[in-house]
Amino acid sequence: IQHHREVHVVMGNEACDLDSTVSALALAYFLAQSSPAPGAAFVPVLNIPRADFALRTETTFLLRDQGIPAASLIFRDEIDLGGLHHAGLLSLTLVDHHVLPGADAALEEAVVEVLDHRPLERDRGPPCRVTVEPVGSCATLVTERIAQGPPGLLDRTTAALLHGTILLDCINLSPAAGKVTPRDVACVALLEDRFPELPPRDSVFGALQAAKFDVSGLTTEQMLRKDLKVLSSDELVLAISGIYVDLETFLLRPGLLQDLDGFCQARGYAGLVAMTVSFNERHEPTRKLAVYSQCETLRGTLCRALEEATTPCLHLQPLPSPWPCVGAFAQGNALASRKKVLPILRAAL
């Protein structure tokens, strides 16, 4: 700000999973090398506080594996985006999301580009450049963008980050998991073609999946924060946490109810939806979900919305719950990931 230097920030969503992180790092690096804008600083920002980074176990694993130290990263609590915007120095590119949460609404007018792979929730007119495509991984869109740019800008480290991210997001390109598209497959092939020394897909996916599902050392509060999305209406705020253990195991954690209550009260959440996923050896997912709220009306509204949803239909089957304030369900439609469930919950709010 003191030097009046323009800052172009590339930032993923506030769950800050591997896709958001790598998409931000790779695209910012590409823009820094290819942009004609003289003097602008291109800064990838991880959209979580630094203290939460250790919970992103698959991300810490891949970056460490590629020799990228955490000290070289910039986190959301280390850059004053509001101050930069107020000074007229901020340009913002959003990757892996295209709508800023309410708390960041003031930054909307700084958004110059969007790359996302979820359905478009709001139109952005020119001059904002919008790429929203239904691929399995946002890293696929970043790979395509880099491949269309000047030759020679893709290095092995960036390729390895993108390669691992697409494989993890698309469950090793397995059609049974319902995430992969031909464009994801094409980008993985392109990266392997340019860098034949990349490790085999199975070993990359296996290592990342193991790191992602390793929650052995985490408290319940950390598990809820590890992969967290937040929805808000005028009246209330709802948390949606991706949980990486079986739902029954999670519900029987010692002190769970106290932990859920404390987590929601501390953050002002009226309720929480926990979504669990596990995969068999054929990469087929099993999904379950739990709806927690001390407010019976809200809990009933959310459960009804999920049970009666048609786009998509979730085919929920009630499961026994140890607590009256928690509704538990097996999700028959195992291909409906959180990305598909969020719009149902948003409409219910």
Side-chain angles (χ1 to χ4, degrees):
I1 291 175
Q2 286 169 345
H3 295 102
H4 295 288
R5 186 178 183 191
E6 287 182 35
V7 176
H8 189 134
V9 165
V10 183
M11 184 169 75
N13 66 49
E14 71 267 29
C16 199
D17 60 2
L18 185 65
D19 195 21
S20 271
T21 300
V22 166
S23 294
L25 292 173
L27 185 60
Y29 185 54
F30 169 73
L31 292 173
Q33 296 178 94
S34 62
S35 168
F42 289 89
V43 181
V45 172
L46 277 65
N47 200 359
I48 47 168
R50 182 176 287 273
D52 284 0
F53 186 51
L55 306 181
R56 308 306 193 270
T57 44
E58 67 277 25
T59 306
T60 57
F61 171 83
L62 183 59
L63 295 187
R64 193 166 55 240
D65 188 55
Q66 293 304 315
I68 298 171
S72 69
L73 305 171
I74 295 175
F75 292 85
R76 185 59 197 272
D77 56 343
E78 297 170 340
I79 184 168
D80 180 7
L81 297 182
L84 287 166
H85 180 48
H86 190 66
L89 299 173
L90 179 68
S91 300
L92 191 54
T93 290
L94 304 181
V95 290
D96 203 23
H97 67 317
H98 62 269
V99 179
L100 287 165
D104 288 335
L107 302 176
E108 281 284 358
E109 57 198 30
V111 176
V112 295
E113 183 173 5
V114 162
L115 271 86
D116 195 13
H117 63 132
R118 65 206 75 231
L120 199 59
E121 286 173 36
R122 55 158 290 186
D123 284 330
R124 290 183 180 277
C128 184
R129 177 176 177 175
V130 177
T131 306
V132 173
E133 304 283 352
V135 291
S137 176
C138 189
T140 292
L141 302 178
V142 175
T143 303
E144 290 178 344
R145 178 75 181 279
I146 295 172
Q148 290 157 9
L153 292 190
L154 182 64
D155 60 42
R156 191 198 172 285
T157 301
T158 308
L161 293 174
L162 292 164
H163 182 253
T165 301
I166 299 169
L167 289 175
L168 183 67
D169 261 355
C170 298
I171 321 298
N172 207 14
L173 310 186
S174 164
K179 288 203 167 185
V180 69
T181 71
R183 287 167 69 173
D184 302 296
V185 176
C187 280
V188 168
L190 178 149
L191 293 166
E192 291 170 345
D193 187 47
R194 292 209 192 168
F195 297 92
E197 70 276 19
L198 286 170
R201 294 174 187 180
D202 286 355
S203 67
V204 172
F205 173 74
L208 285 169
Q209 185 84 331
K212 180 175 182 174
F213 280 78
D214 180 12
V215 293
S216 51
L218 302 188
T219 65
T220 298
E221 190 253 3
Q222 289 173 322
M223 288 173 76
L224 294 170
R225 269 171 41 213
K226 175 176 160 68
D227 188 3
L228 175 67
K229 292 267 171 71
V230 176
L231 294 177
S232 44
S233 70
D234 294 340
E235 288 85 44
L236 52 87
V237 184
L238 179 72
I240 303 94
S241 292
I243 302 289
Y244 296 96
V245 294
D246 185 67
L247 185 64
E248 286 84 348
T249 308
F250 179 69
L251 291 177
L252 293 173
R253 282 176 76 86
L256 178 78
L257 210 53
Q258 209 174 345
D259 290 339
L260 288 173
D261 199 39
F263 183 78
C264 289
Q265 284 205 2
R267 290 169 168 73
Y269 302 147
L272 180 141
V273 177
M275 301 187 64
T276 70
V277 62
S278 56
F279 295 90
N280 64 17
E281 62 285 350
R282 294 187 303 281
H283 302 310
E284 295 163 336
T286 297
R287 295 184 187 276
K288 297 173 185 174
L289 55 86
V291 178
Y292 162 80
S293 179
Q294 293 288 2
C295 169
E296 197 176 334
T297 316
L298 175 62
R299 193 171 64 252
T301 299
L302 295 173
C303 288
R304 249 190 330 278
L306 293 165
E307 288 179 290
E308 296 170 3
T310 56
T311 53
C313 179
L314 301 180
H315 301 298
L316 296 188
Q317 296 290 323
L319 294 172
S321 164
W323 319 104
C325 54
V326 177
F329 302 91
Q331 186 180 311
N333 178 3
L335 299 185
S337 63
R338 181 169 61 177
K339 200 175 278 96
K340 311 254 174 66
V341 173
L342 282 173
I344 299 169
L345 294 170
R346 188 177 283 110
L349 291 189

